[in-house]
Every structure is written in C-alpha cells, then in structure tokens.
C-alpha cells in the first residue's frame, strides 16, 4: 500500500497521554496524515483501502530520542576511516531494523545529517523519520575526541563519518554550532562530561567551560533550536542545566541537586539503559575497545537509580537507547529495563507524547489524531496491560505504517 486513503477499521485506539484505549474506532489516513478518528460505524470508506484490525490495538509509532544511525560499528575510533558511502549503506540496514521494531521517528544525537534524513523521507530506503543534530561538539580530549594519547591527526571534514567535531574556545564552539545549524540540525549536542566510548577522558570529568557552553546555547537559541548534553555526574548535569541546556542524555550518576535544576529549567531527561546492558554483555564481540569496555561498569548499575529518582520527581522522561553496531537489535530492551521502575503507561508516554514535545513535534507524532503523521502500529493486545507485547514485534506487531506508507501488514 502507498500513502493513499486507507481506513483501519474495528480498532482499539491508544491515547498515550490519557493512558487509555478507545474501542470500536476507525482511523482514516490520506496523504501521509491521519485525517479522521471516529467510531467505525460513522466512517465512510468510499474508495479507500480498508484494513480490518479485528479489535486489536492501534497506537502511534514509537519514538527513540537517542540513536546514532551511523554508528554501524561499536569501534567508533575506526569508523572515521570508513567510506561514507559504506557507512550509509550499513546505516540503511540499521534504519530498516528500527522501523521493523515499530519506531517511526528517531532523534539522532550525533552523526546523521540532512542527507540520510532526506533519503528516508524520499523513500530511497525504509526507515523512521530522522530528526538529526549533525555532529556533536567535543572539546580536545573529551568524549568525542577519538584520538588515543599517541595520535595527533584529526579529520574534521564534514563528510568524514565521525559522530563528533572537536572545537575549543568560545569562537570555535560558536562556529561549530553554527555549522551544524547551517546544515539543518534540529538541535546541537555538546559533551558535558567524559564518557565510555572515548579513549582518554574520565567519566567523572566535566567538559567545556561555562563560557563555551553558554556560547553554544546562545547560538542554538538564536536559531530557535536547543542544546542537548551528554553527561553522567551530577556536577556535569548541573553545569549543563545552569548554562541553559534543554535536555540531558544518560545522567546515570546525577543526584537530588540535579532534580531541582531539572524542575526549575523544565529540561527533558533521556536515560539510555539499554546500551549499558548490551555493552556489558556483548560489546567486545562487536568491536568495542577493551579499555573503553572497562568503563561501562562505572555507570551500569547506577542507571536504574537515576531513572527512579527522575520518575519520583515526575520529570519529563523521554525514551532513548544509544546502541552501537550489532547491538541496535536490543532497541526494545529499554522497555523491559524501564518496566522495573516505571508503569507501562509512563513508558509509553516517554516513547510517544513526551518525546514529541522534546522534538517540537507535539500533535504531529506520538498521537493517533487528525493532523498527525500517519505513523501507526497494530498490536495483538493491550500494551498498557502487557508492555511485553512490544518487545516481540515478530510475533505481536501486525502492521507498521510510517507517514502513510505501510511497511508491514500481517493482517491480510
């Protein structure tokens, strides 16, 4: 089926914000949008293609707000030596896998650019809508500087398939931020602390001066965009929030002082539990360097405690995974890990309506409503009662529609 007029009839439509299903509904899509949601008996099919959902749940396509579609290997230092064409070809497989799992929108927070977003939008290969930030900004020796201590060369060409650009000093970071925005970035990402997948920094380090951070925030705001920040410790999280960063990624080691700043600034929080579980279990098998693998255990067990802290404080928590290489297939593991802390309704909101607010796409993604993109899933059962239905898409996910195009239909 293409993006012509399609009617999904006899559906139980999920309202993520309300945490409720409305049975006996029909969803009408046309031109890539939802145009009507009403009782099945009230909808005239006309010459539309009609799909009988058989009472199954229809929910909005899922949103993963922390991906790296170009991270087609877990050895990020080696990635920069690969051909951009080869990386894109492998990224096409990563994107198709995401759509197969029910993700119809993703936010790429380092690596993807306007080209790969356009390729998906034009249907050159199947995948979720890509909301991209271009290359993340890293200081010299920071999380994003892939050089080991004995290496000096640094390829900063925009077509080099690295995930980051290294910039130091207020003038350089302004220029780097402006360059990402010039190339169409929907946000700018900065490294606020050390990380796991970097060779020379400590996880507990803080990165960039406050003057540099404020300069990046100023440039993003001038373009009506926002800054998101990679951070683990409370010190790093707090510096970012004080500088005006609008979203924090990871935050495994934050504490109550960070919660107070989240509340006062209204910033979003994107935990990424799935990547630590995957890296610990099989990172070495996928090329993740051994010296970096040892750092996983500094944050692995703290992630759930940070999520619980944020959940109790009712912060705006968004779904994210941060997987690398062959570990992208664990994208739905985040649901299972979060279910140890959060109820299903909150987790579903994090992957739909809350994520939509972060992306500035409220009302257009994450909902089944007139005017929204026709990003729809049909599931065998009620995910509010059985969240695990979503973790086995081969068995339970019966239809995937992205922007009105049916990617998969097992309903007949």
């Amino acid at each position: 089926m293409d993006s012509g007029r399609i009617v999904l009839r006899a559906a139980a439509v999920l309202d993520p914000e309300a945490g409720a299903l409305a049975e006996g509904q029909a969803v009408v899509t046309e031109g890539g949008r939802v145009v009507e949601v009403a009782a099945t008996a009230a909808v005239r099919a006309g010459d539309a293609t009609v799909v009988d959902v058989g009472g199954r749940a229809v929910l909005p396509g899922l949103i993963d707000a922390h991906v790296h579609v170009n991270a087609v290997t877990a050895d990020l230092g080696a990635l920069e030596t690969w051909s951009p064409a080869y990386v894109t070809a492998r990224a096409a497989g990563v994107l198709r896998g995401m759509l197969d799992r029910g993700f119809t929108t993703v936010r790429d927070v380092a690596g993807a650019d306007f080209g790969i977003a356009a390729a998906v939008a034009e249907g050159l290969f199947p995948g979720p809508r890509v909301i991209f930030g271009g290359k993340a900004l890293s200081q010299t020796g920071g999380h994003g500087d892939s050089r080991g201590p004995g290496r000096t060369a640094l390829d900063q060409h925009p077509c080099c398939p690295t995930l980051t650009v290294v910039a130091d000093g207020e003038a350089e970071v302004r220029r780097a931020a402006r360059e990402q925005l010039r190339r169409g970035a929907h946000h700018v990402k900065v490294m606020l602390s050390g990380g796991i997948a970097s060779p020379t920094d400590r996880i507990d380090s803080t990165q960039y001066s406050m003057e540099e951070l404020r300069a990046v925030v100023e440039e993003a705001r001038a373009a009506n965009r926002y800054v998101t920040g990679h951070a683990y410790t409370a010190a790093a999280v707090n510096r970012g929030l004080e500088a005006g960063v609008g979203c924090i990624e990871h935050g495994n080691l934050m504490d109550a002082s960070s919660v107070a700043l989240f509340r006062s600034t209204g910033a979003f929080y994107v935990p990424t539990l799935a990547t630590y579980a995957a890296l610990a279990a099989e990172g070495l098998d996928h090329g993740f360097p051994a010296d970096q693998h040892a750092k996983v255990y500094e944050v692995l067990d703290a992630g759930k405690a940070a999520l619980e802290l944020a959940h109790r404080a009712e912060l705006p928590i968004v779904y994210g995974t941060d997987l690398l290489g062959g570990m992208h297939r664990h994208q739905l593991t985040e649901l299972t890990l979060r279910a140890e802390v959060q109820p299903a309704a909150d987790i579903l909101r994090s992957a739909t309506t809350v994520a939509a607010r972060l992306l500035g796409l409220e009302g257009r993604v994450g909902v089944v409503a007139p005017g929204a993109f026709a990003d729809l899933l049909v599931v065998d059962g009620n995910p509010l009662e059985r969240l695990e239905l979503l973790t086995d898409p081969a068995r339970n996910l019966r239809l995937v529609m992205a922007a009105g195009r049916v990617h998969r239909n097992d309903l007949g």
Side-chain angles (χ1 to χ4, degrees):
M1 287 179 218
D2 58 23
S3 58
R5 188 174 177 86
I6 300 172
V7 178
L8 304 182
R9 65 177 304 277
V13 176
L14 175 70
D15 180 343
E17 199 63 25
L21 283 176
E23 298 181 354
Q25 302 292 296
V27 181
V28 184
T29 73
E30 188 170 12
R33 300 271 184 166
V34 175
V35 296
E36 185 179 5
V37 180
T40 295
V43 172
R44 296 177 179 270
D47 59 356
T49 299
V50 178
V51 179
D52 193 319
V53 174
R56 295 177 178 86
V58 173
L59 56 150
L62 301 176
I63 302 167
D64 188 336
H66 189 125
V67 304
H68 302 287
V69 301
N70 286 353
V72 295
T73 173
D75 187 351
L76 300 182
L79 188 65
E80 65 189 72
T81 67
W82 291 16
S83 158
Y86 180 63
V87 171
T88 300
R90 290 188 60 168
V94 170
L95 286 160
R96 183 182 188 112
M98 291 177 175
L99 189 57
D100 288 341
R101 290 185 283 272
F103 291 91
T104 55
T105 302
V106 296
R107 181 184 66 145
D108 189 289
V109 289
D113 65 7
F114 63 93
I116 204 159
V120 174
E122 294 171 17
L124 300 181
F125 48 74
R129 180 178 301 103
V130 179
I131 308 300
F132 63 93
K135 295 182 185 293
L137 276 56
S138 169
Q139 68 176 43
T140 293
H143 181 60
D145 188 338
S146 63
R147 297 172 296 174
R151 183 175 154 209
T152 56
L154 181 66
D155 188 347
Q156 297 275 66
H157 193 282
C159 292
C160 178
T162 53
L163 306 188
T164 56
V165 60
V166 174
D168 297 300
E170 186 177 332
E172 274 193 26
V173 298
R174 282 188 187 277
R175 183 179 180 86
R178 287 172 179 173
E179 181 64 18
Q180 306 318 307
L181 294 164
R182 181 188 73 82
R183 293 167 64 83
H186 295 259
H187 63 269
V188 178
K189 183 181 179 184
V190 295
M191 304 305 188
L192 300 170
S193 81
I196 294 168
S198 40
T200 64
D201 59 354
R202 294 170 52 95
I203 283 176
D204 61 2
S205 67
T206 57
Q207 298 182 3
Y208 277 128
S209 69
M210 291 300 287
E211 291 75 20
E212 289 168 315
L213 294 176
R214 290 190 179 108
V216 177
V217 169
E218 184 177 318
E219 293 302 327
R221 287 179 176 172
N224 199 25
R225 295 291 185 257
Y226 69 95
V227 176
T228 194
H230 159 103
Y232 283 114
T233 65
V237 169
N238 295 357
R239 292 175 78 251
L241 294 175
E242 288 165 358
V245 166
C247 182
I248 293 292
E249 316 294 321
H250 316 303
N252 296 45
L253 304 174
M254 68 182 188
D255 59 24
S257 66
S258 303
V259 168
L261 279 167
F262 270 106
R263 282 176 166 164
S264 65
T265 62
F268 292 84
Y269 176 44
V270 187
T272 57
L273 305 183
T275 195
Y276 310 112
L279 284 168
E282 56 187 68
L284 294 174
D285 297 335
H286 293 283
F288 198 65
D291 59 334
Q292 296 171 30
H293 186 262
K295 295 197 281 185
V296 172
Y297 300 97
E298 296 182 43
V299 298
L300 175 64
D301 295 331
K304 287 179 188 174
L307 174 61
E308 185 170 7
L309 185 70
H311 174 64
R312 287 181 176 176
E314 299 182 344
L315 301 184
I317 302 172
V318 182
Y319 192 96
T321 56
D322 192 26
L323 294 158
L324 308 175
M327 292 170 282
H328 280 107
R329 73 186 192 281
H330 296 300
Q331 193 174 23
L332 292 164
T333 302
E334 188 78 18
L335 293 170
T336 305
L337 294 170
R338 293 198 187 191
E340 298 177 23
V341 175
Q342 296 179 282
D346 284 343
I347 299 170
L348 288 169
R349 277 189 283 270
S350 77
T352 54
T353 53
V354 183
R357 292 200 297 273
L358 168 61
L359 271 53
L361 293 174
E362 191 172 8
R364 288 182 283 172
V365 298
V367 292
V368 183
F373 290 116
D375 300 338
L376 304 171
L377 311 179
V378 175
V379 180
D380 276 336
N382 184 352
L384 291 166
E385 297 175 352
R386 296 176 56 208
L387 188 63
E388 67 272 14
L389 289 167
L390 296 176
T391 65
D392 190 356
R395 177 175 298 178
N396 302 314
L397 186 57
R398 304 297 297 276
L399 181 142
V400 177
M401 179 187 292
R405 294 192 290 262
V406 176
H407 172 66
R408 170 184 171 186
N409 180 11
D410 296 337
L411 293 170

